[in-house]
């Protein structure tokens, strides 16, 4: 039995000796490494916050005091010391421990959105609420230097600086990295705080002298770290945070638990908002992570614990996009690429190597990325912003007003669209085709396979007077699905028997639709499967096909509300085409984490369920009945 087994809640950390805490830290690292090696997950970030998290839980009293983790990908240590050690082996598995904080899991978790740069706003609100209600509670926000590049964090700091009575401690976990090294003016400013030699030397000297005085050393050293205008302030590098009017403590070695505790205790005593600047190393305590150049094992797939060698993955959609964009970049000198701190995950790394002057990593700043893209387009270039579908949500207004209204030729490449699975509710890319439907002039393509990805991307970057979007899912692409015919701009994939059922399949759902068609054909039901390729605007050829069939079935890997099916239905209605219509998509709910295929089966987006529903619908029509009701919340 290890020490971790004796930690049921953070209070159990209080009685441990320094040696036991070191032992516990090692045990936590071991558990995290072994678990992520099989289940995949965020390893580097969590290895970097072991001491920091232990220190927070020893100094503050969670859940009375609230701890908010920005993004939440670095909350494994917190989970392990808040009663979830026994279940930790189920990390990211269906029904198991979530990869992010989860209110359903623990009273110690509060924020679970996993979209970066929000912690300070949550914390600002919480601290103000406690102040107004007269509750003696502290709020601790843990935010990485990466998340600190997001605009929301600065909007929050601007407010926090004047919220004098907020008992708010902001721990800046500075490991110099997002996935790759954090870039920008902020990163430079943090470096200057980190490396100010005068500060470090003087503090060291003071520490040595004071600690040499028996009895008073620690207390006096504490006092130096403390509040109000004192010696510490005279020594601390002025800049950045203090210019904003925020109390600053640091820099502190985030792997020195005792030093962290001391800094946090001082910050706690201050009684107003304080920043504690902790310097940590991503991947600390595990050599393969520290050596991992691309991202220090930010989020590895399964790997070998001894060597750190990742299990081979096949080519995924991202890899094919990566090749396609390099190819396009070679042919078009006006093509520029943008990433919001996700160079490797979105596959722009090779483009960046080849065309560094045409690649921009803007930090975790999707809103800025979009409007900056508008500027690049106005300046005569064609920007391609590659981003996970879920993160574009944040920049909706920028797409609408800054790009579309100005008729800017910007291409958005939405990776990880549709159901993504393991990362839980916040990471599914199930909103893009709904929110983008309302953007005038925007054209949206959903390639069904790799050939179509290349084709549609090529078409997209040729549009220079409107935004274009190319969206594809997570994981490996299917085998190519050849077209047997064209209808307008759409591909006809199957035409079997009579014109009974028209299946309009979007992107990744085409492969499934072809399988559904073969099941229907086997039962003597006539079926046509069409892939619109460009799903927005609706192709008039599809309206005509719908007019000629007995039943229209739309299938998309996007929320049912306001997506492609809903828009098609509305278009048919406007055109006076009243063919019975069945709309299949993702129910408009927050989906718990599980494997993508398991979720698709659960929500009825698998071939078997779809085929059964179509057969039921056709049977109802044959009998002259209305379509049966389907429970879309199942
Ligand atoms: C809005 C948004 N964009 C992108 C991401 C993807 N993402 C997850 S973690 C991360 C890097 C975070 O860096 P940092 O805050 O420094 O934490 P670290 O992993 O270095 O501890 C990014 C870009 C996200 N979660 N949210």
């Amino acid at each position: 039995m290890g020490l971790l087994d004796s930690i049921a809640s953070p209070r159990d950390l209080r009685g441990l000796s320094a040696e036991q805490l070191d032992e516990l830290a090692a045990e936590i690292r071991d558990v995290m490494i072994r678990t992520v090696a099989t289940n995949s997950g965020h390893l580097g970030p969590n290895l970097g916050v072991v001491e920091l998290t232990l220190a927070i839980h020893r100094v503050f009293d969670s859940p009375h005091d609230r701890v908010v983790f920005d993004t939440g990908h670095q909350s494994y240590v917190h989970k392990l010391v808040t009663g979830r050690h026994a279940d930790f082996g189920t990390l990211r598995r269906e029904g198991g421990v979530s990869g992010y904080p989860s209110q359903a899991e623990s009273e110690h978790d509060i924020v679970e959105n996993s979209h970066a740069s929000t912690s300070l706003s949550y914390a600002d609100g919480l601290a103000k609420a406690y102040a107004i209600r007269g509750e003696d509670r502290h709020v601790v926000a843990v935010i990485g230097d990466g998340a600190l590049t997001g605009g929301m964090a600065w909007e929050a700091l601007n407010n926090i600086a004047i919220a004098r009575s907020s008992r708010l401690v902001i721990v800046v976990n500075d490991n110099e990295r997002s996935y790759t090294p954090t870039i920008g003016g902020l990163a430079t400013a943090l470096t200057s705080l980190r490396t100010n030699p005068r500060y470090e030397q003087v503090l060291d000297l003071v520490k040595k002298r004071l600690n040499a005085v028996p009895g008073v050393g620690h207390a006096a050293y504490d006092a130096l770290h403390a509040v109000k205008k004192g010696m510490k302030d005279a020594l601390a590098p002025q800049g950045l945070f203090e210019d904003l009017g925020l109390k600053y403590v640091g820099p502190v070695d985030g792997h020195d638990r005792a030093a962290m505790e001391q800094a946090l205790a001082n910050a706690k005593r201050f009684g107003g908002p304080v920043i504690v600047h902790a310097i940590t190393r991503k991947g600390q305590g595990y050599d393969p992570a520290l050596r991992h150049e691309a991202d220090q094992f930010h989020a590895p797939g399964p790997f070998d614990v001894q060597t750190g060698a990742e299990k081979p993955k096949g080519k995924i959609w991202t890899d094919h996009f990566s090749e396609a964009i390099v190819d396009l970049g070679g042919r078009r000198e006006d093509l520029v690429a943008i990433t919001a701190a996700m160079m490797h995950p979105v596959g722009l790394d090779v483009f960046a190597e080849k065309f560094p002057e045409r690649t921009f990593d803007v930090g975790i700043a999707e809103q800025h990325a979009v409007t900056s893209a508008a500027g690049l387009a106005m300046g005569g270039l064609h920007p391609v912003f590659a981003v996970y579908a879920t993160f574009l949500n944040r920049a909706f207004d920028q797409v609408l007003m800054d790009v579309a209204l100005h008729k800017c030729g910007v291409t958005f490449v939405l990776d990880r669209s549709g159901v993504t699975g393991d990362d839980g509710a916040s990471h599914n890319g199930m909103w893009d085709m709904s929110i983008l439907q309302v953007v005038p002039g925007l054209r949206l393509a959903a390639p069904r396979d790799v050939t179509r990805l290349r084709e549609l991307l090529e078409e997209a970057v040729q549009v220079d007077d409107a935004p274009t979007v190319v969206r594809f899912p997570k994981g490996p692409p299917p085998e190519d699905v050849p077209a047997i015919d064209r209808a307008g701009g759409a591909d006809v994939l199957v035409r079997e028997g009579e014109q009974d059922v028209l299946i309009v399949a979007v992107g990744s759902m085409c492969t499934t639709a072809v399988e559904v068609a073969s099941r229907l054909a086997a039962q003597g039901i006539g079926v046509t499967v069409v892939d619109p390729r460009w799903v927005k605007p609706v192709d008039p050829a599809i309206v005509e096909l719908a007019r000629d069939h007995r039943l229209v079935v739309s299938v998309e890997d996007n929320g049912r509300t306001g997506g492609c099916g809903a828009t098609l239905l509305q278009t048919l209605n406007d055109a006076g085409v009243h063919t019975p219509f069945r709309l299949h998509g993702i129910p408009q709910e927050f989906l718990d984490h599980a494997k993508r295929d398991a979720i698709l089966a659960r929500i009825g987006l698998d071939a078997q369920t779809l085929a059964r529903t179509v057969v039921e619908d056709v049977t109802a029509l044959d009998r002259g009945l209305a379509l049966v009701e389907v429970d879309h919340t199942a």
Side-chain angles (χ1 to χ4, degrees):
M1 183 166 137
L3 260 176
L4 248 183
D5 295 316
S6 66
I7 310 294
S9 92
R11 287 193 183 171
D12 298 326
L13 298 171
R14 306 249 172 96
L16 301 183
S17 67
E19 291 71 31
Q20 284 174 315
L21 286 162
D22 288 347
E23 200 184 311
L24 181 70
E27 201 180 319
I28 287 172
R29 285 200 166 86
D30 185 51
V31 169
M32 294 197 301
I33 292 165
R34 281 188 290 104
T35 307
V36 177
T38 53
N39 298 18
S40 76
H42 287 100
L43 187 57
N46 281 291
L47 291 171
V49 296
V50 177
E51 289 77 18
L52 182 155
T53 309
L54 292 178
I56 289 173
H57 278 304
R58 275 164 56 83
V59 172
F60 295 91
D61 182 23
S62 172
H64 178 75
D65 293 328
R66 307 279 7 193
V67 187
V68 180
F69 289 95
D70 202 290
T71 314
H73 63 304
Q74 75 292 54
S75 61
Y76 296 178
V77 187
H78 163 81
K79 291 193 178 218
L80 286 169
V81 298
T82 51
R84 283 165 275 182
H85 171 219
D87 296 328
F88 198 68
T90 65
L91 182 71
R92 289 158 55 85
R93 299 238 160 107
E94 188 164 4
V97 170
S98 151
Y100 295 91
S102 156
Q103 290 186 4
E105 264 174 33
S106 169
E107 59 177 351
H108 294 276
D109 294 7
I110 180 158
V111 169
E112 57 179 61
N113 65 327
S114 97
H115 285 208
S117 317
T118 61
S119 64
L120 304 187
S121 302
Y122 279 116
D124 174 52
L126 278 165
K128 282 175 176 163
Y130 296 146
I132 288 172
R133 288 163 57 91
E135 293 181 31
D136 181 17
R137 305 169 78 167
H138 279 84
V139 181
V140 182
V142 179
I143 182 166
D145 53 301
L148 208 49
T149 58
M152 260 187 93
W154 292 89
E155 292 167 32
L157 284 174
N158 188 40
N159 281 267
I160 290 167
I162 53 164
R164 298 270 165 228
S165 50
S166 284
R167 298 186 172 198
L168 172 47
V169 177
I170 299 168
V171 179
V172 174
N173 173 32
D174 180 5
N175 56 22
E176 298 178 68
R177 283 182 164 257
S178 295
Y179 276 71
T180 41
T182 306
I183 289 172
L186 167 72
T188 314
L190 284 177
T191 305
S192 89
L193 288 181
R194 248 191 322 263
T195 53
N196 186 314
R198 187 170 145 260
Y199 167 74
E200 303 244 349
Q201 282 160 11
V202 178
L203 203 67
D204 257 9
L205 192 72
V206 172
K207 188 173 168 183
K208 274 184 203 131
R209 291 213 176 133
L210 290 177
N211 283 343
V213 183
V216 290
H218 278 293
Y221 177 60
D222 264 16
L224 280 182
H225 272 275
V227 291
K228 300 273 152 76
K229 280 282 161 195
M231 192 172 172
K232 155 80 177 62
D233 287 35
L235 301 174
Q238 304 293 309
L240 202 63
F241 301 116
E242 295 215 329
D243 285 351
L244 267 177
L246 280 157
K247 191 78 208 159
Y248 171 92
V249 177
V252 187
D253 175 354
H255 297 300
D256 181 339
R257 188 196 32 78
M260 271 308 294
E261 284 186 27
Q262 215 165 46
L264 289 169
N266 290 332
K268 184 178 176 183
R269 273 201 293 275
F270 180 56
V274 186
I275 294 213
V276 176
H277 183 187
I279 311 297
T280 62
R281 286 215 297 173
K282 210 162 178 163
Q284 173 80 357
Y286 185 50
D287 278 345
L290 289 171
R291 284 198 310 265
H292 191 257
E293 242 182 60
D295 63 16
Q296 293 182 318
F297 267 20
H298 180 90
F303 62 90
D304 180 89
V305 172
Q306 296 309 319
T307 61
E310 283 190 72
K311 304 261 151 70
K313 303 178 207 150
K315 254 181 157 181
I316 60 171
W317 280 96
T318 315
D319 301 315
H320 294 282
F321 162 68
S322 183
E323 289 171 8
I325 194 75
V326 169
D327 188 27
L328 277 173
R331 287 186 277 128
R332 291 228 352 214
E333 283 187 359
D334 64 332
L335 200 114
V336 290
I338 305 175
T339 172
M342 301 190 74
M343 194 72 86
H344 290 85
V346 299
L348 282 179
D349 48 321
V350 187
F351 186 94
E353 269 167 39
K354 284 212 146 190
F355 312 109
E357 73 293 348
R358 286 199 265 146
T359 312
F360 304 103
D361 179 350
V362 298
I364 307 180
E366 287 80 5
Q367 294 172 295
H368 162 70
V370 173
T371 307
S372 163
L376 285 161
M378 288 168 172
L381 300 174
H382 191 101
V384 175
F385 176 30
V387 58
Y388 283 10
T390 187
F391 299 137
L392 188 73
N393 293 353
R394 180 165 282 191
F396 170 71
D397 185 55
Q398 284 73 10
V399 173
L400 180 69
M401 293 300 168
D402 305 343
V403 178
L405 177 77
H406 292 85
K407 297 191 169 53
C408 293
V410 175
T411 298
F412 299 94
V413 171
L414 306 187
D415 197 334
R416 298 338 190 240
S417 69
V419 172
T420 53
D422 319 276
D423 279 311
S426 60
H427 270 60
N428 290 309
M430 56 177 271
W431 296 280
D432 58 307
M433 291 203 291
S434 302
I435 60 173
L436 295 174
Q437 283 295 347
V438 305
V439 178
L442 178 142
R443 296 170 54 79
L444 196 155
R448 65 179 180 271
D449 56 25
V450 170
T451 301
R452 260 42 63 170
L453 169 64
R454 285 187 162 265
E455 206 173 270
L456 289 165
L457 187 63
E458 180 105 32
E459 290 174 31
V461 298
Q462 279 164 26
V463 177
D464 61 7
D465 60 354
T468 47
V469 180
V470 179
R471 58 108 73 182
F472 51 80
K474 181 179 173 174
E479 293 279 303
D480 267 12
V481 184
I484 55 165
D485 200 358
R486 263 281 162 106
D491 278 347
V492 179
L493 307 181
V494 176
R495 194 181 276 131
E496 287 278 351
E498 302 290 305
Q499 294 192 318
D500 291 324
V501 181
L502 172 68
I503 303 180
V504 182
V506 176
S508 66
M509 288 292 117
C510 286
T511 308
T512 312
V514 169
E515 202 185 322
V516 171
S518 69
R519 288 171 190 247
L520 298 181
Q523 300 199 35
I525 297 173
V527 57
T528 308
V529 177
V530 66
D531 167 12
R533 298 169 68 254
W534 287 96
V535 293
K536 180 182 179 328
V538 173
D539 195 316
I542 294 183
V543 176
E544 291 317 307
L545 280 170
R547 199 191 295 279
D548 297 339
H549 283 72
R550 293 175 60 213
L551 172 69
V552 178
V553 176
S554 69
V555 193
E556 67 196 291
D557 190 1
N558 180 76
R560 299 182 69 246
T561 305
C564 297
T567 307
L568 176 59
L569 180 57
Q570 191 180 346
T571 310
L572 294 181
N573 197 48
D574 289 349
V577 176
H578 300 296
T579 311
F581 196 105
R582 177 68 78 188
L583 192 163
H584 294 282
I586 303 173
Q588 223 67 41
E589 64 186 47
F590 292 114
L591 304 169
D592 280 342
H593 63 279
K595 287 282 164 221
R596 180 170 187 265
D597 287 347
I599 294 178
L600 289 175
R602 182 175 71 74
I603 61 179
L605 287 181
D606 59 318
Q608 195 183 352
T609 315
L610 288 167
R612 198 185 59 229
T613 326
V614 178
V615 171
E616 282 169 9
D617 285 346
V618 171
T619 310
L621 291 176
D622 284 345
R623 292 193 187 138
L625 302 171
L627 300 190
V628 289
E629 196 177 320
V630 173
D631 179 7
H632 283 288
T633 58

